[in-house]
mmCIF file with all atom_site columns, all heavy atoms in Angstrom:
data_model
loop_
_atom_site.group_PDB
_atom_site.id
_atom_site.type_symbol
_atom_site.label_atom_id
_atom_site.label_alt_id
_atom_site.label_comp_id
_atom_site.label_asym_id
_atom_site.label_entity_id
_atom_site.label_seq_id
_atom_site.pdbx_PDB_ins_code
_atom_site.Cartn_x
_atom_site.Cartn_y
_atom_site.Cartn_z
_atom_site.occupancy
_atom_site.B_iso_or_equiv
_atom_site.pdbx_formal_charge
_atom_site.auth_seq_id
_atom_site.auth_comp_id
_atom_site.auth_asym_id
_atom_site.auth_atom_id
_atom_site.pdbx_PDB_model_num
ATOM 1   N N   . ALA A 1 1  ? -1.295 126.222 88.021  1.00 0.00 ? 1  ALA A N   1
ATOM 2   C CA  . ALA A 1 1  ? -0.659 127.509 88.299  1.00 0.00 ? 1  ALA A CA  1
ATOM 3   C C   . ALA A 1 1  ? 0.531  127.702 87.363  1.00 0.00 ? 1  ALA A C   1
ATOM 4   O O   . ALA A 1 1  ? 1.199  126.758 86.986  1.00 0.00 ? 1  ALA A O   1
ATOM 5   C CB  . ALA A 1 1  ? -0.198 127.558 89.745  1.00 0.00 ? 1  ALA A CB  1
ATOM 6   N N   . ALA A 1 2  ? 0.772  128.941 87.022  1.00 0.00 ? 2  ALA A N   1
ATOM 7   C CA  . ALA A 1 2  ? 1.918  129.249 86.170  1.00 0.00 ? 2  ALA A CA  1
ATOM 8   C C   . ALA A 1 2  ? 3.202  129.015 86.954  1.00 0.00 ? 2  ALA A C   1
ATOM 9   O O   . ALA A 1 2  ? 3.263  129.320 88.148  1.00 0.00 ? 2  ALA A O   1
ATOM 10  C CB  . ALA A 1 2  ? 1.852  130.699 85.712  1.00 0.00 ? 2  ALA A CB  1
ATOM 11  N N   . PRO A 1 3  ? 4.218  128.445 86.322  1.00 0.00 ? 3  PRO A N   1
ATOM 12  C CA  . PRO A 1 3  ? 5.466  128.212 87.046  1.00 0.00 ? 3  PRO A CA  1
ATOM 13  C C   . PRO A 1 3  ? 6.097  129.539 87.475  1.00 0.00 ? 3  PRO A C   1
ATOM 14  O O   . PRO A 1 3  ? 6.008  130.531 86.758  1.00 0.00 ? 3  PRO A O   1
ATOM 15  C CB  . PRO A 1 3  ? 6.342  127.476 86.046  1.00 0.00 ? 3  PRO A CB  1
ATOM 16  C CG  . PRO A 1 3  ? 5.741  127.751 84.721  1.00 0.00 ? 3  PRO A CG  1
ATOM 17  C CD  . PRO A 1 3  ? 4.283  128.032 84.944  1.00 0.00 ? 3  PRO A CD  1
ATOM 18  N N   . ALA A 1 4  ? 6.713  129.523 88.624  1.00 0.00 ? 4  ALA A N   1
ATOM 19  C CA  . ALA A 1 4  ? 7.377  130.726 89.123  1.00 0.00 ? 4  ALA A CA  1
ATOM 20  C C   . ALA A 1 4  ? 8.622  130.992 88.286  1.00 0.00 ? 4  ALA A C   1
ATOM 21  O O   . ALA A 1 4  ? 9.334  130.076 87.902  1.00 0.00 ? 4  ALA A O   1
ATOM 22  C CB  . ALA A 1 4  ? 7.757  130.547 90.580  1.00 0.00 ? 4  ALA A CB  1
ATOM 23  N N   . GLY A 1 5  ? 8.860  132.250 88.011  1.00 0.00 ? 5  GLY A N   1
ATOM 24  C CA  . GLY A 1 5  ? 10.019 132.604 87.204  1.00 0.00 ? 5  GLY A CA  1
ATOM 25  C C   . GLY A 1 5  ? 11.277 132.737 88.048  1.00 0.00 ? 5  GLY A C   1
ATOM 26  O O   . GLY A 1 5  ? 11.236 132.772 89.272  1.00 0.00 ? 5  GLY A O   1
ATOM 27  N N   . ARG A 1 6  ? 12.384 132.802 87.370  1.00 0.00 ? 6  ARG A N   1
ATOM 28  C CA  . ARG A 1 6  ? 13.656 132.988 88.064  1.00 0.00 ? 6  ARG A CA  1
ATOM 29  C C   . ARG A 1 6  ? 13.726 134.430 88.564  1.00 0.00 ? 6  ARG A C   1
ATOM 30  O O   . ARG A 1 6  ? 13.204 135.340 87.934  1.00 0.00 ? 6  ARG A O   1
ATOM 31  C CB  . ARG A 1 6  ? 14.795 132.666 87.113  1.00 0.00 ? 6  ARG A CB  1
ATOM 32  C CG  . ARG A 1 6  ? 14.838 131.179 86.798  1.00 0.00 ? 6  ARG A CG  1
ATOM 33  C CD  . ARG A 1 6  ? 15.902 130.866 85.745  1.00 0.00 ? 6  ARG A CD  1
ATOM 34  N NE  . ARG A 1 6  ? 16.125 129.450 85.633  1.00 0.00 ? 6  ARG A NE  1
ATOM 35  C CZ  . ARG A 1 6  ? 15.365 128.629 84.922  1.00 0.00 ? 6  ARG A CZ  1
ATOM 36  N NH1 . ARG A 1 6  ? 14.329 129.082 84.260  1.00 0.00 ? 6  ARG A NH1 1
ATOM 37  N NH2 . ARG A 1 6  ? 15.634 127.340 84.870  1.00 0.00 ? 6  ARG A NH2 1
ATOM 38  N N   . VAL A 1 7  ? 14.394 134.624 89.671  1.00 0.00 ? 7  VAL A N   1
ATOM 39  C CA  . VAL A 1 7  ? 14.498 135.958 90.252  1.00 0.00 ? 7  VAL A CA  1
ATOM 40  C C   . VAL A 1 7  ? 15.858 136.566 89.893  1.00 0.00 ? 7  VAL A C   1
ATOM 41  O O   . VAL A 1 7  ? 16.840 135.845 89.708  1.00 0.00 ? 7  VAL A O   1
ATOM 42  C CB  . VAL A 1 7  ? 14.313 135.910 91.787  1.00 0.00 ? 7  VAL A CB  1
ATOM 43  C CG1 . VAL A 1 7  ? 12.913 135.492 92.133  1.00 0.00 ? 7  VAL A CG1 1
ATOM 44  C CG2 . VAL A 1 7  ? 15.305 135.003 92.456  1.00 0.00 ? 7  VAL A CG2 1
ATOM 45  N N   . PRO A 1 8  ? 15.932 137.913 89.785  1.00 0.00 ? 8  PRO A N   1
ATOM 46  C CA  . PRO A 1 8  ? 17.176 138.546 89.364  1.00 0.00 ? 8  PRO A CA  1
ATOM 47  C C   . PRO A 1 8  ? 18.275 138.561 90.423  1.00 0.00 ? 8  PRO A C   1
ATOM 48  O O   . PRO A 1 8  ? 19.437 138.721 90.104  1.00 0.00 ? 8  PRO A O   1
ATOM 49  C CB  . PRO A 1 8  ? 16.751 139.959 89.007  1.00 0.00 ? 8  PRO A CB  1
ATOM 50  C CG  . PRO A 1 8  ? 15.518 140.198 89.799  1.00 0.00 ? 8  PRO A CG  1
ATOM 51  C CD  . PRO A 1 8  ? 14.848 138.868 89.932  1.00 0.00 ? 8  PRO A CD  1
ATOM 52  N N   . GLY A 1 9  ? 17.924 138.427 91.697  1.00 0.00 ? 9  GLY A N   1
ATOM 53  C CA  . GLY A 1 9  ? 18.963 138.506 92.719  1.00 0.00 ? 9  GLY A CA  1
ATOM 54  C C   . GLY A 1 9  ? 18.591 137.750 93.975  1.00 0.00 ? 9  GLY A C   1
ATOM 55  O O   . GLY A 1 9  ? 17.522 137.185 94.073  1.00 0.00 ? 9  GLY A O   1
ATOM 56  N N   . PRO A 1 10 ? 19.517 137.729 94.967  1.00 0.00 ? 10 PRO A N   1
ATOM 57  C CA  . PRO A 1 10 ? 19.287 136.987 96.208  1.00 0.00 ? 10 PRO A CA  1
ATOM 58  C C   . PRO A 1 10 ? 18.087 137.543 96.964  1.00 0.00 ? 10 PRO A C   1
ATOM 59  O O   . PRO A 1 10 ? 17.678 138.668 96.706  1.00 0.00 ? 10 PRO A O   1
ATOM 60  C CB  . PRO A 1 10 ? 20.571 137.183 96.991  1.00 0.00 ? 10 PRO A CB  1
ATOM 61  C CG  . PRO A 1 10 ? 21.543 137.849 96.107  1.00 0.00 ? 10 PRO A CG  1
ATOM 62  C CD  . PRO A 1 10 ? 20.805 138.376 94.932  1.00 0.00 ? 10 PRO A CD  1
ATOM 63  N N   . PRO A 1 11 ? 17.511 136.835 97.880  1.00 0.00 ? 11 PRO A N   1
ATOM 64  C CA  . PRO A 1 11 ? 17.920 135.536 98.388  1.00 0.00 ? 11 PRO A CA  1
ATOM 65  C C   . PRO A 1 11 ? 17.395 134.403 97.510  1.00 0.00 ? 11 PRO A C   1
ATOM 66  O O   . PRO A 1 11 ? 16.257 134.440 97.050  1.00 0.00 ? 11 PRO A O   1
ATOM 67  C CB  . PRO A 1 11 ? 17.292 135.473 99.781  1.00 0.00 ? 11 PRO A CB  1
ATOM 68  C CG  . PRO A 1 11 ? 16.064 136.294 99.665  1.00 0.00 ? 11 PRO A CG  1
ATOM 69  C CD  . PRO A 1 11 ? 16.402 137.390 98.668  1.00 0.00 ? 11 PRO A CD  1
ATOM 70  N N   . TYR A 1 12 ? 18.241 133.438 97.259  1.00 0.00 ? 12 TYR A N   1
ATOM 71  C CA  . TYR A 1 12 ? 17.878 132.281 96.456  1.00 0.00 ? 12 TYR A CA  1
ATOM 72  C C   . TYR A 1 12 ? 17.500 131.117 97.368  1.00 0.00 ? 12 TYR A C   1
ATOM 73  O O   . TYR A 1 12 ? 18.064 130.948 98.446  1.00 0.00 ? 12 TYR A O   1
ATOM 74  C CB  . TYR A 1 12 ? 19.041 131.848 95.564  1.00 0.00 ? 12 TYR A CB  1
ATOM 75  C CG  . TYR A 1 12 ? 19.405 132.867 94.512  1.00 0.00 ? 12 TYR A CG  1
ATOM 76  C CD1 . TYR A 1 12 ? 20.633 133.507 94.532  1.00 0.00 ? 12 TYR A CD1 1
ATOM 77  C CD2 . TYR A 1 12 ? 18.514 133.173 93.495  1.00 0.00 ? 12 TYR A CD2 1
ATOM 78  C CE1 . TYR A 1 12 ? 20.969 134.434 93.561  1.00 0.00 ? 12 TYR A CE1 1
ATOM 79  C CE2 . TYR A 1 12 ? 18.843 134.107 92.526  1.00 0.00 ? 12 TYR A CE2 1
ATOM 80  C CZ  . TYR A 1 12 ? 20.067 134.734 92.562  1.00 0.00 ? 12 TYR A CZ  1
ATOM 81  O OH  . TYR A 1 12 ? 20.396 135.647 91.609  1.00 0.00 ? 12 TYR A OH  1
ATOM 82  N N   . ALA A 1 13 ? 16.574 130.295 96.906  1.00 0.00 ? 13 ALA A N   1
ATOM 83  C CA  . ALA A 1 13 ? 16.193 129.098 97.657  1.00 0.00 ? 13 ALA A CA  1
ATOM 84  C C   . ALA A 1 13 ? 17.249 128.024 97.459  1.00 0.00 ? 13 ALA A C   1
ATOM 85  O O   . ALA A 1 13 ? 17.939 127.993 96.443  1.00 0.00 ? 13 ALA A O   1
ATOM 86  C CB  . ALA A 1 13 ? 14.841 128.589 97.167  1.00 0.00 ? 13 ALA A CB  1
ATOM 87  N N   . ASP A 1 14 ? 17.385 127.143 98.442  1.00 0.00 ? 14 ASP A N   1
ATOM 88  C CA  . ASP A 1 14 ? 18.313 126.022 98.336  1.00 0.00 ? 14 ASP A CA  1
ATOM 89  C C   . ASP A 1 14 ? 17.636 124.851 97.634  1.00 0.00 ? 14 ASP A C   1
ATOM 90  O O   . ASP A 1 14 ? 16.442 124.620 97.802  1.00 0.00 ? 14 ASP A O   1
ATOM 91  C CB  . ASP A 1 14 ? 18.786 125.573 99.715  1.00 0.00 ? 14 ASP A CB  1
ATOM 92  C CG  . ASP A 1 14 ? 19.669 126.613 100.386 1.00 0.00 ? 14 ASP A CG  1
ATOM 93  O OD1 . ASP A 1 14 ? 20.305 127.403 99.664  1.00 0.00 ? 14 ASP A OD1 1
ATOM 94  O OD2 . ASP A 1 14 ? 19.714 126.632 101.626 1.00 0.00 ? 14 ASP A OD2 1
ATOM 95  N N   . CYS A 1 15 ? 18.401 124.109 96.846  1.00 0.00 ? 15 CYS A N   1
ATOM 96  C CA  . CYS A 1 15 ? 17.905 122.922 96.156  1.00 0.00 ? 15 CYS A CA  1
ATOM 97  C C   . CYS A 1 15 ? 17.489 121.884 97.188  1.00 0.00 ? 15 CYS A C   1
ATOM 98  O O   . CYS A 1 15 ? 18.182 121.654 98.178  1.00 0.00 ? 15 CYS A O   1
ATOM 99  C CB  . CYS A 1 15 ? 19.004 122.356 95.256  1.00 0.00 ? 15 CYS A CB  1
ATOM 100 S SG  . CYS A 1 15 ? 18.543 120.831 94.405  1.00 0.00 ? 15 CYS A SG  1
ATOM 101 N N   . LEU A 1 16 ? 16.363 121.248 96.960  1.00 0.00 ? 16 LEU A N   1
ATOM 102 C CA  . LEU A 1 16 ? 15.870 120.253 97.903  1.00 0.00 ? 16 LEU A CA  1
ATOM 103 C C   . LEU A 1 16 ? 16.629 118.939 97.823  1.00 0.00 ? 16 LEU A C   1
ATOM 104 O O   . LEU A 1 16 ? 16.555 118.129 98.737  1.00 0.00 ? 16 LEU A O   1
ATOM 105 C CB  . LEU A 1 16 ? 14.380 119.999 97.676  1.00 0.00 ? 16 LEU A CB  1
ATOM 106 C CG  . LEU A 1 16 ? 13.468 121.184 98.003  1.00 0.00 ? 16 LEU A CG  1
ATOM 107 C CD1 . LEU A 1 16 ? 12.040 120.862 97.655  1.00 0.00 ? 16 LEU A CD1 1
ATOM 108 C CD2 . LEU A 1 16 ? 13.604 121.570 99.443  1.00 0.00 ? 16 LEU A CD2 1
ATOM 109 N N   . GLU A 1 17 ? 17.369 118.709 96.741  1.00 0.00 ? 17 GLU A N   1
ATOM 110 C CA  . GLU A 1 17 ? 18.113 117.456 96.603  1.00 0.00 ? 17 GLU A CA  1
ATOM 111 C C   . GLU A 1 17 ? 19.574 117.584 97.014  1.00 0.00 ? 17 GLU A C   1
ATOM 112 O O   . GLU A 1 17 ? 20.093 116.740 97.728  1.00 0.00 ? 17 GLU A O   1
ATOM 113 C CB  . GLU A 1 17 ? 18.003 116.928 95.170  1.00 0.00 ? 17 GLU A CB  1
ATOM 114 C CG  . GLU A 1 17 ? 16.609 116.427 94.863  1.00 0.00 ? 17 GLU A CG  1
ATOM 115 C CD  . GLU A 1 17 ? 16.527 115.700 93.532  1.00 0.00 ? 17 GLU A CD  1
ATOM 116 O OE1 . GLU A 1 17 ? 17.576 115.345 92.959  1.00 0.00 ? 17 GLU A OE1 1
ATOM 117 O OE2 . GLU A 1 17 ? 15.402 115.491 93.075  1.00 0.00 ? 17 GLU A OE2 1
ATOM 118 N N   . CYS A 1 18 ? 20.244 118.647 96.555  1.00 0.00 ? 18 CYS A N   1
ATOM 119 C CA  . CYS A 1 18 ? 21.682 118.747 96.846  1.00 0.00 ? 18 CYS A CA  1
ATOM 120 C C   . CYS A 1 18 ? 22.031 119.895 97.787  1.00 0.00 ? 18 CYS A C   1
ATOM 121 O O   . CYS A 1 18 ? 23.141 119.938 98.294  1.00 0.00 ? 18 CYS A O   1
ATOM 122 C CB  . CYS A 1 18 ? 22.468 118.876 95.541  1.00 0.00 ? 18 CYS A CB  1
ATOM 123 S SG  . CYS A 1 18 ? 22.225 120.452 94.694  1.00 0.00 ? 18 CYS A SG  1
ATOM 124 N N   . GLY A 1 19 ? 21.137 120.837 98.012  1.00 0.00 ? 19 GLY A N   1
ATOM 125 C CA  . GLY A 1 19 ? 21.383 121.936 98.936  1.00 0.00 ? 19 GLY A CA  1
ATOM 126 C C   . GLY A 1 19 ? 22.082 123.141 98.346  1.00 0.00 ? 19 GLY A C   1
ATOM 127 O O   . GLY A 1 19 ? 22.295 124.133 99.025  1.00 0.00 ? 19 GLY A O   1
ATOM 128 N N   . LYS A 1 20 ? 22.437 123.090 97.051  1.00 0.00 ? 20 LYS A N   1
ATOM 129 C CA  . LYS A 1 20 ? 23.093 124.225 96.412  1.00 0.00 ? 20 LYS A CA  1
ATOM 130 C C   . LYS A 1 20 ? 22.061 125.307 96.106  1.00 0.00 ? 20 LYS A C   1
ATOM 131 O O   . LYS A 1 20 ? 20.870 125.028 95.983  1.00 0.00 ? 20 LYS A O   1
ATOM 132 C CB  . LYS A 1 20 ? 23.776 123.776 95.123  1.00 0.00 ? 20 LYS A CB  1
ATOM 133 C CG  . LYS A 1 20 ? 24.935 122.843 95.371  1.00 0.00 ? 20 LYS A CG  1
ATOM 134 C CD  . LYS A 1 20 ? 25.605 122.462 94.070  1.00 0.00 ? 20 LYS A CD  1
ATOM 135 C CE  . LYS A 1 20 ? 26.764 121.502 94.350  1.00 0.00 ? 20 LYS A CE  1
ATOM 136 N NZ  . LYS A 1 20 ? 27.379 121.041 93.106  1.00 0.00 ? 20 LYS A NZ  1
ATOM 137 N N   . PRO A 1 21 ? 22.497 126.565 95.953  1.00 0.00 ? 21 PRO A N   1
ATOM 138 C CA  . PRO A 1 21 ? 21.556 127.649 95.615  1.00 0.00 ? 21 PRO A CA  1
ATOM 139 C C   . PRO A 1 21 ? 20.908 127.406 94.252  1.00 0.00 ? 21 PRO A C   1
ATOM 140 O O   . PRO A 1 21 ? 21.535 126.862 93.344  1.00 0.00 ? 21 PRO A O   1
ATOM 141 C CB  . PRO A 1 21 ? 22.428 128.899 95.579  1.00 0.00 ? 21 PRO A CB  1
ATOM 142 C CG  . PRO A 1 21 ? 23.682 128.541 96.267  1.00 0.00 ? 21 PRO A CG  1
ATOM 143 C CD  . PRO A 1 21 ? 23.844 127.059 96.161  1.00 0.00 ? 21 PRO A CD  1
ATOM 144 N N   . THR A 1 22 ? 19.647 127.795 94.131  1.00 0.00 ? 22 THR A N   1
ATOM 145 C CA  . THR A 1 22 ? 18.923 127.640 92.872  1.00 0.00 ? 22 THR A CA  1
ATOM 146 C C   . THR A 1 22 ? 18.779 128.995 92.198  1.00 0.00 ? 22 THR A C   1
ATOM 147 O O   . THR A 1 22 ? 19.307 129.996 92.689  1.00 0.00 ? 22 THR A O   1
ATOM 148 C CB  . THR A 1 22 ? 17.517 127.074 93.133  1.00 0.00 ? 22 THR A CB  1
ATOM 149 O OG1 . THR A 1 22 ? 16.769 128.039 93.854  1.00 0.00 ? 22 THR A OG1 1
ATOM 150 C CG2 . THR A 1 22 ? 17.567 125.779 93.910  1.00 0.00 ? 22 THR A CG2 1
ATOM 151 N N   . GLU A 1 23 ? 18.065 129.033 91.086  1.00 0.00 ? 23 GLU A N   1
ATOM 152 C CA  . GLU A 1 23 ? 17.789 130.285 90.389  1.00 0.00 ? 23 GLU A CA  1
ATOM 153 C C   . GLU A 1 23 ? 16.446 130.860 90.807  1.00 0.00 ? 23 GLU A C   1
ATOM 154 O O   . GLU A 1 23 ? 15.988 131.835 90.236  1.00 0.00 ? 23 GLU A O   1
ATOM 155 C CB  . GLU A 1 23 ? 17.798 130.034 88.883  1.00 0.00 ? 23 GLU A CB  1
ATOM 156 C CG  . GLU A 1 23 ? 19.144 129.551 88.377  1.00 0.00 ? 23 GLU A CG  1
ATOM 157 C CD  . GLU A 1 23 ? 19.110 129.176 86.914  1.00 0.00 ? 23 GLU A CD  1
ATOM 158 O OE1 . GLU A 1 23 ? 18.013 128.998 86.357  1.00 0.00 ? 23 GLU A OE1 1
ATOM 159 O OE2 . GLU A 1 23 ? 20.185 129.041 86.330  1.00 0.00 ? 23 GLU A OE2 1
ATOM 160 N N   . TYR A 1 24 ? 15.811 130.260 91.804  1.00 0.00 ? 24 TYR A N   1
ATOM 161 C CA  . TYR A 1 24 ? 14.486 130.674 92.255  1.00 0.00 ? 24 TYR A CA  1
ATOM 162 C C   . TYR A 1 24 ? 14.571 131.363 93.607  1.00 0.00 ? 24 TYR A C   1
ATOM 163 O O   . TYR A 1 24 ? 15.452 131.080 94.411  1.00 0.00 ? 24 TYR A O   1
ATOM 164 C CB  . TYR A 1 24 ? 13.564 129.459 92.359  1.00 0.00 ? 24 TYR A CB  1
ATOM 165 C CG  . TYR A 1 24 ? 13.411 128.728 91.052  1.00 0.00 ? 24 TYR A CG  1
ATOM 166 C CD1 . TYR A 1 24 ? 14.130 127.571 90.789  1.00 0.00 ? 24 TYR A CD1 1
ATOM 167 C CD2 . TYR A 1 24 ? 12.561 129.214 90.064  1.00 0.00 ? 24 TYR A CD2 1
ATOM 168 C CE1 . TYR A 1 24 ? 13.998 126.908 89.588  1.00 0.00 ? 24 TYR A CE1 1
ATOM 169 C CE2 . TYR A 1 24 ? 12.429 128.554 88.852  1.00 0.00 ? 24 TYR A CE2 1
ATOM 170 C CZ  . TYR A 1 24 ? 13.152 127.405 88.620  1.00 0.00 ? 24 TYR A CZ  1
ATOM 171 O OH  . TYR A 1 24 ? 13.025 126.755 87.434  1.00 0.00 ? 24 TYR A OH  1
ATOM 172 N N   . GLY A 1 25 ? 13.631 132.250 93.863  1.00 0.00 ? 25 GLY A N   1
ATOM 173 C CA  . GLY A 1 25 ? 13.599 132.964 95.132  1.00 0.00 ? 25 GLY A CA  1
ATOM 174 C C   . GLY A 1 25 ? 13.128 132.078 96.272  1.00 0.00 ? 25 GLY A C   1
ATOM 175 O O   . GLY A 1 25 ? 12.534 131.014 96.060  1.00 0.00 ? 25 GLY A O   1
ATOM 176 N N   . VAL A 1 26 ? 13.387 132.517 97.499  1.00 0.00 ? 26 VAL A N   1
ATOM 177 C CA  . VAL A 1 26 ? 13.012 131.722 98.666  1.00 0.00 ? 26 VAL A CA  1
ATOM 178 C C   . VAL A 1 26 ? 11.492 131.615 98.815  1.00 0.00 ? 26 VAL A C   1
ATOM 179 O O   . VAL A 1 26 ? 11.012 130.696 99.460  1.00 0.00 ? 26 VAL A O   1
ATOM 180 C CB  . VAL A 1 26 ? 13.630 132.294 99.969  1.00 0.00 ? 26 VAL A CB  1
ATOM 181 C CG1 . VAL A 1 26 ? 15.129 132.142 99.945  1.00 0.00 ? 26 VAL A CG1 1
ATOM 182 C CG2 . VAL A 1 26 ? 13.222 133.723 100.183 1.00 0.00 ? 26 VAL A CG2 1
ATOM 183 N N   . ALA A 1 27 ? 10.734 132.514 98.217  1.00 0.00 ? 27 ALA A N   1
ATOM 184 C CA  . ALA A 1 27 ? 9.278  132.484 98.327  1.00 0.00 ? 27 ALA A CA  1
ATOM 185 C C   . ALA A 1 27 ? 8.625  131.601 97.261  1.00 0.00 ? 27 ALA A C   1
ATOM 186 O O   . ALA A 1 27 ? 7.403  131.524 97.197  1.00 0.00 ? 27 ALA A O   1
ATOM 187 C CB  . ALA A 1 27 ? 8.718  133.901 98.228  1.00 0.00 ? 27 ALA A CB  1
ATOM 188 N N   . THR A 1 28 ? 9.406  130.932 96.426  1.00 0.00 ? 28 THR A N   1
ATOM 189 C CA  . THR A 1 28 ? 8.869  130.087 95.369  1.00 0.00 ? 28 THR A CA  1
ATOM 190 C C   . THR A 1 28 ? 8.210  128.854 95.970  1.00 0.00 ? 28 THR A C   1
ATOM 191 O O   . THR A 1 28 ? 8.849  128.113 96.717  1.00 0.00 ? 28 THR A O   1
ATOM 192 C CB  . THR A 1 28 ? 9.981  129.641 94.403  1.00 0.00 ? 28 THR A CB  1
ATOM 193 O OG1 . THR A 1 28 ? 10.631 130.797 93.898  1.00 0.00 ? 28 THR A OG1 1
ATOM 194 C CG2 . THR A 1 28 ? 9.422  128.824 93.247  1.00 0.00 ? 28 THR A CG2 1
ATOM 195 N N   . PRO A 1 29 ? 6.916  128.609 95.672  1.00 0.00 ? 29 PRO A N   1
ATOM 196 C CA  . PRO A 1 29 ? 6.246  127.433 96.225  1.00 0.00 ? 29 PRO A CA  1
ATOM 197 C C   . PRO A 1 29 ? 6.633  126.155 95.485  1.00 0.00 ? 29 PRO A C   1
ATOM 198 O O   . PRO A 1 29 ? 7.107  126.200 94.351  1.00 0.00 ? 29 PRO A O   1
ATOM 199 C CB  . PRO A 1 29 ? 4.763  127.745 96.009  1.00 0.00 ? 29 PRO A CB  1
ATOM 200 C CG  . PRO A 1 29 ? 4.741  128.635 94.816  1.00 0.00 ? 29 PRO A CG  1
ATOM 201 C CD  . PRO A 1 29 ? 6.021  129.433 94.880  1.00 0.00 ? 29 PRO A CD  1
ATOM 202 N N   . GLY A 1 30 ? 6.440  125.032 96.135  1.00 0.00 ? 30 GLY A N   1
ATOM 203 C CA  . GLY A 1 30 ? 6.675  123.738 95.502  1.00 0.00 ? 30 GLY A CA  1
ATOM 204 C C   . GLY A 1 30 ? 8.113  123.273 95.607  1.00 0.00 ? 30 GLY A C   1
ATOM 205 O O   . GLY A 1 30 ? 8.921  123.816 96.356  1.00 0.00 ? 30 GLY A O   1
#
C-alpha cells in the first residue's frame, strides 16, 4: 500500500512511542 501522506491540519494522531502529536491524521493506518 502507498504510505499515507501528511495531513494539513488537526486532528493529528499521537506517536505510539512517545505520545507527542505526529504529522499524520488520526485515520492513518499502521
